[in-house]
Amino acid sequence: MAFAITQTCCSDASCVAVCPVNCIHPTPDEPDFRTTEMLYIDPQACIDCGACADACPVDAIFPVEDLTGPLQAYAEVNAAYYADRDPITAASDPSPNFHSWNRPVFDRVIPPDLDPLDVAVVGTGPAGMYAVEDLLLHTNAKVTLIDRLPVAGGLVRYGVAPDHPSTKKIGETFARFHDHPRLRLQLGLEVGRDVTVDEVAEHHDAVIYAVGASSARGLNLPGEDLPGSLAATTVVAWYNGHPDVPADAVDLAAERVVVVGNGNVALDVARILTTDPAVLEGTTIAPAALERLKASKIREVVLLGRRGPEAAAYTEPELRALIERDDIDLVVDAHDPRVGRAIDTAPAGDKARLLKGLERKAVDWSAPPRHDGRRIVLRFHSAPVTFLGESQVRGLRTTGPAEDVEIATGEVIRAVGYHGTPVDGLPFDERSGTVPHTGGRVADQPGTYVVGWIKRGPSGGIGANRECAKETVGSLLDDAVAGRLGTPPRKRKHFFKLAARRT
Ligand code: NAP
């Protein structure tokens, strides 16, 4: 008997830290960690203790015998990771992590006489909260946790799709720290608008910016700004009830919607737009979005990928979940022979292989969809060229293998990635949408740090922020130990008075 990790794995490696026999890999210090899409339990080495399942913040780990429906495949997915490797067991690794809840994360020595630090963390999403967790659990710092919105959570609250309740559950783990006696939460305060970067710095020994990447990348194509062309960031914020996005921001009057991009956000949007609204009832979906979905005319969502199925940006677990759905048809547009070839010749472990059982069809793009029910069409090797229409999108010209193809559609959703937004007072690299840094230290601004997407760019799921925060907090502590932080001219308690005056 063994446990297996399933679809919602967030890769934050909480499970690795508690496994007594080191049977979960890759671990954060192994090379694969940065490239695999999830973690895997070695069924040979697992002793069935369940510690990993208890520690998992997103309820992704189950005993193999309890796996049902689409999750059953994960017994094999976990085992396959180890199939060609020497078993990594307690016997071959003599340092199992017994009782490692309190295992120190940092290998540096913090002098016991180091005064408690006052640290501000700006941003309550996963990156900010992993930094907060490190500071509260491994140092005696006092933390001022700031968010511009009146509700904490960042992308866990306003980015994770409402039909992924297990993933959203990690928000509860983060929220526990909001009540920590050494933390004070300051919501509804925007740094760079209500208070300046300098003002936050003046009241704290150090400031960590975890402000994410809140805008949408653009395509720079003609017609992109026509009504009917929307950024996926808007759609995601809309169905999650983000206060910045009006309830009527998304109009679902078109029968065919084209989603440009092949990342997990594109899959999230395609899934939500084609899910029976009754299934979404009772989730955290915004009530206005649910009402609009009930009235939606959508019958087809086209996922437009500029590369082939072997190179799609979505992760395997998210694709698997889509394939397993029996309430919609998932078909592959057979317009380009490279697509069929990639699927038919895909080696084991290639995500194109998962598409093998799907129907391949030539689609008539000039007319509205005629089929019964709802479907998602995967169109690979096709990039957008021009948004067509005068006062409203009526089509999208896309590349085809021989010549451009016009797809008749009334709504195009651009899911081509997020982009960072500058914070007034911090340096900013416009091209990457990030704040220039070294190991999390902001260039030329001692005592100022970055973590998460504003540091690394907008890629990687929730768990990737854990290692990212470890690096940033590590740099901060190194600077504190080396005396590089200086003394703030004002006391932290006065910051809250300033905040009260400005909000
Ligand atoms: P992403 O993974 O970077 O995907 C962006 C997609 O847009 C790619 O398919 C990319 O194609 C395409 N693209 C970019 N520029 C384009 C252009 N000019 N024309 C056509 N296509 C273009 O970004 P994302 O989907 O926004 O996701 C951001 C991060 O959040 C990812 O790490 C993702 O895994 C994570 N996330 C995870 C989940 C989950 O685990 N369920 C959910 C949501 C988001 P190329 O690949 O060819 O560049």
Side-chain angles (χ1 to χ4, degrees), residues 217 219 262-265 268 306-307 318 415-417 453 458-460:
R217 279 185 58 196
L219 283 165
N262 257 186
N264 278 339
V265 168
D268 279 352
R306 62 179 171 180
R307 298 195 280 162
E318 292 304 315
V416 294
W453 281 4
S459 76

Side-chain angles (χ1 to χ4, degrees), residues 314 319 322-325 329-332 343 352-361 376 378 380:
Y314 49 64
L319 177 62
L322 203 59
I323 291 172
E324 294 292 343
R325 276 182 57 174
D329 287 331
L330 185 61
V331 300
V332 176
I343 295 172
R353 200 179 163 107
L354 293 178
L355 303 178
K356 230 172 184 162
L358 298 187
E359 189 181 1
R360 297 176 206 166
K361 267 196 165 167
I376 295 177
L378 298 163
F380 295 103

Side-chain angles (χ1 to χ4, degrees), residues 160-165 168 238-240 252 268-294 296 325 327 374:
V160 174
D163 62 342
H164 278 170
K168 280 200 179 283
W238 167 75
Y239 60 59
N240 277 312
L252 305 176
D268 279 352
V269 168
R271 211 180 54 246
I272 293 292
L273 294 188
T274 53
T275 295
D276 178 352
V279 174
L280 298 171
E281 204 115 33
T283 69
T284 56
I285 191 164
L290 185 63
E291 286 315 305
R292 198 151 275 215
L293 283 167
K294 284 180 185 164
S296 151
R325 276 182 57 174
D327 56 331
R374 285 179 169 171

Side-chain angles (χ1 to χ4, degrees), residues 488-499:
R490 296 178 208 288
K491 293 210 177 324
R492 173 175 174 260
K493 63 181 179 188
H494 294 139
F495 179 74
F496 301 106
K497 292 187 182 144
L498 175 71

Side-chain angles (χ1 to χ4, degrees), residues 207-376:
V207 187
I208 300 176
Y209 285 88
V211 292
S214 55
S215 37
R217 279 185 58 196
L219 283 165
N220 286 326
L221 292 177
E224 186 177 349
D225 296 327
L226 279 170
S229 163
L230 275 177
T233 49
T234 303
V235 180
V236 169
W238 167 75
Y239 60 59
N240 277 312
H242 193 294
D244 287 355
V245 176
D248 62 354
V250 180
D251 169 46
L252 305 176
E255 287 187 69
R256 174 184 288 133
V257 173
V258 178
V259 179
V260 180
N262 257 186
N264 278 339
V265 168
L267 256 53
D268 279 352
V269 168
R271 211 180 54 246
I272 293 292
L273 294 188
T274 53
T275 295
D276 178 352
V279 174
L280 298 171
E281 204 115 33
T283 69
T284 56
I285 191 164
L290 185 63
E291 286 315 305
R292 198 151 275 215
L293 283 167
K294 284 180 185 164
S296 151
K297 297 207 172 61
I298 295 174
R299 297 169 64 202
E300 180 175 280
V301 174
V302 184
L303 280 166
L304 201 68
R306 62 179 171 180
R307 298 195 280 162
E310 69 290 350
Y314 49 64
T315 54
E316 189 178 314
E318 292 304 315
L319 177 62
R320 275 181 187 279
L322 203 59
I323 291 172
E324 294 292 343
R325 276 182 57 174
D326 48 18
D327 56 331
I328 50 150
D329 287 331
L330 185 61
V331 300
V332 176
D333 181 6
H335 74 117
D336 187 321
R338 287 175 294 176
V339 178
R341 261 200 314 273
I343 295 172
D344 292 335
T345 60
D350 184 323
K351 57 184 113 170
R353 200 179 163 107
L354 293 178
L355 303 178
K356 230 172 184 162
L358 298 187
E359 189 181 1
R360 297 176 206 166
K361 267 196 165 167
V363 181
D364 176 7
W365 294 116
S366 62
R370 290 200 189 88
H371 52 84
D372 295 331
R374 285 179 169 171
R375 75 176 185 184
I376 295 177

Side-chain angles (χ1 to χ4, degrees), residues 34-59:
R34 281 175 220 300
T35 52
T36 55
E37 293 177 344
M38 55 179 285
L39 307 183
Y40 308 88
I41 293 177
D42 179 354
Q44 304 291 330
C46 175
I47 56 165
D48 206 18
C49 70
C52 53
D54 290 342
C56 177
V58 291
D59 276 354

